[in-house]
Amino acid sequence: MNLPRRGCLQVYTGNGKGKTTASLGLALRSVGHGHKVFVIQFMKGSDNYGELEAARKYLPGVSIEQYGLETFVSKENPSREDKDLAQKGIARAREIVTAGEHDLVILDELNVALDYSLVSLDQVMGIISARPPHVELVLTGRGAHEGVIEAADLVTEVTLVKHPFYKGLEAREGIEY
Ligand code: ATP
Ligand code: MG
């Protein structure tokens, strides 16, 4: 008899705010139970994110690595370095997921990296299907690929209704980063 697999594939997508922070909330919940968490952030390279410092200082069970530059990636014309870093990130993601040492693996902004063709659909689907049964895998980022949505057990689409950015409020420390 096949036991139901415990680990699910979760996707947080859509154009509203809250996808990355939803996944970090999960990380907090998971580590609170003594589980091990690994976060790989694609297309991000700034060490000014509060979650990096929080994990370093207070959450030894949460590892976070970034595979991106500090600058925005151009969808039409991504740089060589943007692509190289995303490729390093996807290789690392595969290594971490298949090793199965972490209960929760979050691939933050991977949906965007795929949408921008920094990684291929085959690479993403390969990781999804190679994951051990106990690993909960979370992919975040707007514009999730139809194939990823199809493969997922849980998909949440965050809809933009209002965002203070549109009345001129810049990104705020502790809120947006
Ligand atoms: P958060 O990181 O706050 O959970 P997110 O992961 O849903 O947001 P992304 O799509 O990754 O958002 O956007 C990157 C950055 O832009 C974040 O700092 C986020 O807070 C901010 N942001 C999210 N949605 C919007 C929006 N509709 N307009 C402007 N900025 C946004
Ligand atoms: Mg995000």
Side-chain angles (χ1 to χ4, degrees):
M1 187 183 79
N2 282 337
L3 289 171
R5 69 183 293 151
R6 195 183 71 80
C8 287
L9 173 63
Q10 303 192 20
V11 176
Y12 293 88
T13 193
N15 61 356
K17 174 176 165 72
K19 303 172 292 289
T20 294
T21 44
S23 73
L24 293 170
L26 273 175
L28 188 63
R29 177 172 286 172
S30 179
V31 78
H33 286 285
H35 299 174
K36 282 183 73 186
V37 181
F38 207 103
V39 183
I40 293 184
Q41 296 190 322
F42 290 84
M43 304 172 72
K44 287 179 178 172
S46 162
D47 61 7
N48 203 21
Y49 284 97
E51 58 264 35
L52 295 175
E53 198 56 23
R56 218 174 277 140
K57 274 193 192 156
Y58 308 114
L59 301 169
V62 180
S63 306
I64 308 185
E65 292 180 3
Q66 294 184 322
Y67 290 86
L69 301 173
E70 278 199 49
T71 47
F72 279 107
V73 182
S74 154
K75 184 171 183 176
E76 290 69 35
N77 193 19
S79 73
R80 185 74 256 163
E81 217 180 342
D82 290 324
K83 290 184 195 159
D84 287 351
L85 282 165
Q87 283 299 314
K88 284 200 177 102
I90 199 83
R92 181 71 168 141
R94 191 176 172 101
E95 181 180 272
I96 293 297
V97 167
T98 54
E101 286 167 15
H102 293 82
D103 308 279
L104 173 64
V105 180
I106 296 167
L107 304 179
D108 184 36
E109 313 302 349
L110 183 58
N111 295 333
V112 185
L114 174 56
D115 189 37
Y116 284 33
S117 302
L118 303 180
V119 300
S120 72
L121 181 61
D122 277 358
Q123 287 177 312
V124 175
M125 297 309 287
I127 291 177
I128 289 171
S129 52
R131 75 191 200 281
H134 65 281
V135 175
E136 186 90 9
L137 183 61
V138 178
L139 309 192
T140 85
R142 51 190 69 203
H145 192 282
E146 205 43 58
V148 169
I149 290 174
E150 187 64 36
D153 303 288
L154 181 156
V155 180
T156 296
E157 181 161 15
V158 187
T159 304
L160 170 65
V161 178
K162 282 183 166 188
H163 194 293
F165 174 78
Y166 296 100
K167 51 181 181 191
L169 205 58
E170 296 285 322
R172 293 162 300 157
E173 179 183 291
I175 305 292
E176 269 80 37
Y177 60 90

